[in-house]
Amino acid sequence: MLCGDNRGMSDSRAALDDLVESRLDALQLPSAQRAPLRPLLLASDFAFEQLRRVPEWGTRNLALPPAPPDVAVLDPAQWGVALRRYRRLGSLSLIQRDVLGIDSVEQTLAGASRLAEVCLGLALDAVEAALAERHGRVPDAEGRPQRLCVLGLGKLGGGELNFSSDVDLVLAFRQGGESAGPARIDHERWFARAAQQFVGLLSEVTAEGFAYRVDLRLRPFGSAGRVAMSFAAMEQYFQREGRDWERYAWLKARPVAGDREAGEELLDALRPFVFRRYLDYTAFAGLREMKALIAAEVARRELSEHVKLGPGGIREIEFIVQLLQLIRGGREPELRVRGLLPALAALRDAGHIDESAAVALAEAYRFLRRLENRLQMLRDEQTHELPEDPQLRLRLALGLGFAQWDALHAELQAHRARVSAEFGELLAPPRRAAAAPGALELYWRGLPEQGDAAALAAAGMGQAEAVHAALLDFARSAGVRTMSARSRRRLDQVLPALLEAVAGAVEPERTVQRLLHLLHAILRRSSYLALLEEQPAALARLVETFSRSALLAERLSAHPLLLDELLDTRAQAGPAPRAELDAAAQRLRAQAEDIEAELIGLNELRQSAAFRLGLAALNRREAPAVVAA
């Protein structure tokens, strides 16, 4: 049997050698130019078709990226041809550099992103120049000519574009006005025409193919929205209509063409939508919903071998990193990084992902992205699925340095298993729901119409009558009665858990009163309820702290941002060293947008340091005299 397998493998490799040689013969290349092209022609049918289509490309050094065309000197009818040929030749260079091992995975992704940006910039320059010649430019309030601002989202925004990928774009302009040319038109028509011509120049399929598939569906209101919107309209949309999934979409947003300076200003204005000032544990619920939808789609379409959406695939790595960025990026600016690998490194450096997990995720990401690119390089198709054809599988394996398909697939499965384990641990529900609600949960949900102190006493709660009276008043309060459905669901999970933790306290009535004072303060801030729901350790520390210290309970109720300290393991070890505080203050000064933001940040730093000192004194990690000093 083994001999038969070896013979079959040998026959398959011989067939691939014959395939490559026949392609070299078809290209009629001199023998000196054949060797560098062998790995290229093994890896890519697309490369062979392009070299056969434009024979002179076979005689150039494809490892050198091509120079962009000068569209300004071309006839408008030739713009599309020039862009498409430049993109195809640039793509050949990317494949050649990848298969020869010249570029790392990161360099290949960055190269694909640069190629797209150059094409976007050339296309926009061309259509805006033509519009300006006919209608003039649209000036802003100061009389400066405006340009369309092209924002790249997703992988293009992160500078890590796939070899053959849509480009997710949002188009915007600074403000309204009227063009200043011979045939004047208002700003909406000017920018709408610029946007439509820009997209058409890139994505229209011609005899030369297309340059890029442009996807505008991530813009405000999706396909029903205007193709280009003013900054003011976009800010208003995200203030009123922005949804959780859009925070993920805009996490990597970056100006990639047109007025880049204005684009950065827009992203600064939208930053509070993406990165909340507080620890945003509401992101867990949104991500679980998104993951459930993706899992259902994977099952429906049988995409288990999908390297992006399948179990342990690229999307799960992205979710791990982006979730932690969204939770903490509002408080930690150093986490607001666009690229995935730099963001993963920032999370590791900040202590939010341990070293071994960060290394495993980075290795898996590089492996999966390289495999994904090779799948797409084969025929310049936007595919993420492993081939079923044995010959294609062997070509893929050999091109990636594996002796056979089984070896490649085994490494793939090992990476996917590690990613799935990390993803499952991150998204695991904090408390598994029981088959039936517990006694304290039934008691709380029955208030204020039902429930009595006997249920509390049966659960081991001392001072049950007094605790019941306090909870009854809380359940009847306007704050509880007017909560949103989502926030109320979180409260219904958190409060019984708090009661369970309080049951063993020395003076449960006092502890419950302090906790209810805090809950009153955060009822309208669902993120804090989400924090307590998602982090049982923080909830336990909260109850312990409130049972022992009226001062720290008062501080937490007045400044709920301090709940972060209950999660920070450094806070449990002791007060922050002076050098750490000085460094944090320096970062605030460097990153604050204005003096008001700096003062707010310094006040939060002061409150945090004081709270950590209080914890250190409470837990006898520091002597009172040291704390007072």
Side-chain angles (χ1 to χ4, degrees), residues 340-415:
L340 185 136
L341 288 173
L344 180 59
L347 289 164
R348 178 204 61 208
D349 293 344
H352 303 311
I353 293 181
D354 66 48
E355 180 71 23
S356 63
V359 169
L361 289 173
E363 290 178 351
Y365 182 74
R366 291 187 179 98
F367 181 90
L368 289 166
R369 290 304 305 276
R370 190 168 184 228
L371 175 59
E372 176 188 52
N373 266 343
R374 287 298 180 90
L375 289 170
Q376 297 186 357
M377 288 173 177
L378 181 64
R379 291 171 181 155
D380 192 23
E381 295 175 338
Q382 190 184 18
T383 182
H384 308 274
E385 293 189 67
L386 300 175
E388 296 182 0
D389 180 79
Q391 188 181 55
L392 289 181
R393 288 183 167 189
L394 182 58
R395 285 176 64 184
L396 197 61
L398 294 175
L400 288 170
F402 293 88
Q404 54 187 346
W405 169 255
D406 288 347
L408 168 61
H409 197 258
E411 184 161 339
L412 169 63
Q413 293 300 83
H415 284 301

Side-chain angles (χ1 to χ4, degrees), residues 510-518 546-550 553 557:
R510 183 180 63 185
T511 304
V512 167
Q513 289 284 8
R514 292 170 182 170
L515 288 168
L516 294 181
H517 186 58
L518 171 66
F546 274 43
S547 68
R548 297 173 60 195
S549 174
S557 297

Side-chain angles (χ1 to χ4, degrees), residues 465-492:
E465 291 289 348
V467 171
H468 173 66
L471 290 168
L472 195 58
D473 287 342
F474 179 67
R476 288 170 174 163
S477 68
V480 172
R481 288 188 288 105
T482 58
M483 293 178 76
S484 68
R486 173 172 288 188
S487 294
R488 180 58 198 248
R489 284 195 297 271
R490 289 197 172 108
L491 179 65
D492 289 345

Side-chain angles (χ1 to χ4, degrees), residues 273-573:
F273 166 72
V274 179
F275 296 107
R276 309 291 164 80
R277 284 188 62 244
Y278 40 78
L279 281 179
D280 186 17
Y281 276 81
T282 60
F284 271 99
L287 181 52
R288 287 193 183 105
E289 292 172 4
M290 290 169 61
K291 176 57 179 172
L293 291 174
I294 291 172
E297 182 71 0
V298 167
R300 183 181 69 82
R301 295 169 55 192
E302 298 182 350
L303 300 179
S304 60
E305 292 297 301
H306 199 284
V307 299
K308 179 180 179 181
L309 300 180
I314 295 166
R315 180 57 55 84
E316 289 190 359
I317 303 175
E318 292 173 336
F319 277 165
I320 291 170
V321 173
Q322 292 171 359
L323 174 64
L324 294 174
Q325 282 183 283
L326 289 179
I327 289 172
R328 294 189 169 273
R331 299 289 303 280
E332 301 176 46
E334 60 272 19
L335 301 182
R336 300 171 195 167
V337 182
R338 286 170 173 139
L340 185 136
L341 288 173
L344 180 59
L347 289 164
R348 178 204 61 208
D349 293 344
H352 303 311
I353 293 181
D354 66 48
E355 180 71 23
S356 63
V359 169
L361 289 173
E363 290 178 351
Y365 182 74
R366 291 187 179 98
F367 181 90
L368 289 166
R369 290 304 305 276
R370 190 168 184 228
L371 175 59
E372 176 188 52
N373 266 343
R374 287 298 180 90
L375 289 170
Q376 297 186 357
M377 288 173 177
L378 181 64
R379 291 171 181 155
D380 192 23
E381 295 175 338
Q382 190 184 18
T383 182
H384 308 274
E385 293 189 67
L386 300 175
E388 296 182 0
D389 180 79
Q391 188 181 55
L392 289 181
R393 288 183 167 189
L394 182 58
R395 285 176 64 184
L396 197 61
L398 294 175
L400 288 170
F402 293 88
Q404 54 187 346
W405 169 255
D406 288 347
L408 168 61
H409 197 258
E411 184 161 339
L412 169 63
Q413 293 300 83
H415 284 301
R416 292 173 67 170
R418 181 62 191 270
V419 172
S420 287
E422 292 292 338
F423 186 70
E425 183 177 345
L426 180 69
L427 277 195
R431 286 176 294 276
R432 295 191 178 276
L440 288 175
E441 186 176 349
L442 290 172
Y443 160 78
W444 162 247
R445 293 189 179 185
L447 295 179
E449 289 81 11
Q450 303 173 23
D452 56 42
L456 294 173
M461 180 78 70
Q463 301 174 310
E465 291 289 348
V467 171
H468 173 66
L471 290 168
L472 195 58
D473 287 342
F474 179 67
R476 288 170 174 163
S477 68
V480 172
R481 288 188 288 105
T482 58
M483 293 178 76
S484 68
R486 173 172 288 188
S487 294
R488 180 58 198 248
R489 284 195 297 271
R490 289 197 172 108
L491 179 65
D492 289 345
Q493 291 294 318
V494 167
L495 201 142
L498 287 171
L499 293 177
E500 184 177 345
V502 169
V506 176
E507 296 186 56
E509 179 194 4
R510 183 180 63 185
T511 304
V512 167
Q513 289 284 8
R514 292 170 182 170
L515 288 168
L516 294 181
H517 186 58
L518 171 66
L519 290 175
H520 271 299
I522 65 175
L523 285 178
R524 296 283 176 249
R525 306 181 194 181
S526 183
S527 61
Y528 294 127
L529 292 173
L531 184 156
L532 295 174
E533 181 185 10
E534 296 288 347
Q535 298 293 323
L539 186 145
R541 291 190 191 112
L542 175 70
V543 172
E544 180 187 8
T545 301
F546 274 43
S547 68
R548 297 173 60 195
S549 174
L551 174 62
L552 294 183
E554 181 182 336
R555 288 284 179 87
L556 264 172
S557 297
H559 304 284
L561 281 169
L562 294 174
L563 284 168
D564 186 16
E565 300 299 326
L566 298 175
L567 293 175
D568 195 331
T569 55
R570 294 170 299 178
Q572 308 307 312

Side-chain angles (χ1 to χ4, degrees), residues 86-87 90-91 94 103 105-121 152-167 169 212 252 254-257 260 338-339 365 369 373:
Y86 170 67
R87 185 259 170 181
S91 297
L94 287 171
D103 284 347
V105 177
E106 293 96 316
Q107 289 170 325
T108 300
L109 302 177
S113 301
R114 282 194 302 272
L115 180 62
E117 285 184 62
V118 171
C119 288
L120 296 176
L153 276 60
K155 289 185 171 63
L156 177 59
E160 49 197 15
L161 194 65
N162 297 342
F163 174 79
S164 182
S165 175
D166 292 355
V167 287
L169 304 180
Y212 284 93
K252 298 180 180 181
R254 177 173 62 94
V256 293
R260 297 190 183 217
R338 286 170 173 139
Y365 182 74
R369 290 304 305 276
N373 266 343

Side-chain angles (χ1 to χ4, degrees), residues 55-325:
E56 60 265 29
W57 286 355
T59 62
R60 62 172 287 152
N61 183 356
L62 291 175
L64 295 177
D70 185 356
V71 294
V73 302
L74 294 176
D75 183 275
Q78 294 301 308
W79 289 345
V81 174
L83 280 174
R84 283 153 178 74
R85 289 186 177 177
Y86 170 67
R87 185 259 170 181
R88 297 204 310 270
L89 184 54
S91 297
L92 286 182
S93 178
L94 287 171
I95 302 173
Q96 181 73 326
R97 294 177 67 83
D98 182 42
V99 299
L100 294 181
I102 297 172
D103 284 347
S104 65
V105 177
E106 293 96 316
Q107 289 170 325
T108 300
L109 302 177
S113 301
R114 282 194 302 272
L115 180 62
E117 285 184 62
V118 171
C119 288
L120 296 176
L122 292 173
L124 187 62
D125 289 346
V127 299
E128 285 192 335
L131 271 173
E133 185 176 345
R134 181 176 181 184
H135 299 291
R137 297 275 184 179
V138 177
D140 63 16
E142 285 74 40
R144 298 170 299 189
Q146 296 186 76
R147 296 197 66 192
L148 199 64
C149 172
V150 181
L151 297 167
L153 276 60
K155 289 185 171 63
L156 177 59
E160 49 197 15
L161 194 65
N162 297 342
F163 174 79
S164 182
S165 175
D166 292 355
V167 287
D168 293 311
L169 304 180
V170 173
L171 309 178
F173 54 91
R174 194 191 290 271
Q175 57 190 237
E178 185 180 61
S179 67
R184 296 190 174 195
I185 57 175
D186 64 51
H187 67 282
E188 286 197 0
R189 282 195 290 167
W190 199 99
F191 286 112
R193 289 181 186 179
Q196 289 160 359
Q197 292 173 22
F198 166 69
V199 172
L201 182 55
L202 289 164
S203 59
E204 182 182 349
V205 179
T206 70
E208 295 283 342
F210 61 89
Y212 284 93
R213 296 175 291 265
V214 177
D215 191 339
L216 299 178
R217 290 175 296 176
L218 295 180
R219 68 186 187 271
F221 301 108
S223 299
R226 283 173 286 173
V227 68
M229 293 179 67
S230 70
F231 286 7
M234 292 193 69
E235 289 181 49
Q236 185 178 62
Y237 168 84
F238 285 109
Q239 287 173 5
R240 298 181 179 180
E241 308 281 347
R243 290 159 288 179
D244 284 345
W245 67 263
E246 288 176 296
R247 297 178 63 207
Y248 288 90
W250 282 80
L251 186 64
K252 298 180 180 181
R254 177 173 62 94
V256 293
D259 194 339
R260 297 190 183 217
E261 181 180 348
E264 291 290 1
E265 292 175 11
L266 174 62
L267 293 178
D268 285 343
L270 298 183
R271 185 177 295 121
F273 166 72
V274 179
F275 296 107
R276 309 291 164 80
R277 284 188 62 244
Y278 40 78
L279 281 179
D280 186 17
Y281 276 81
T282 60
F284 271 99
L287 181 52
R288 287 193 183 105
E289 292 172 4
M290 290 169 61
K291 176 57 179 172
L293 291 174
I294 291 172
E297 182 71 0
V298 167
R300 183 181 69 82
R301 295 169 55 192
E302 298 182 350
L303 300 179
S304 60
E305 292 297 301
H306 199 284
V307 299
K308 179 180 179 181
L309 300 180
I314 295 166
R315 180 57 55 84
E316 289 190 359
I317 303 175
E318 292 173 336
F319 277 165
I320 291 170
V321 173
Q322 292 171 359
L323 174 64
L324 294 174
Q325 282 183 283

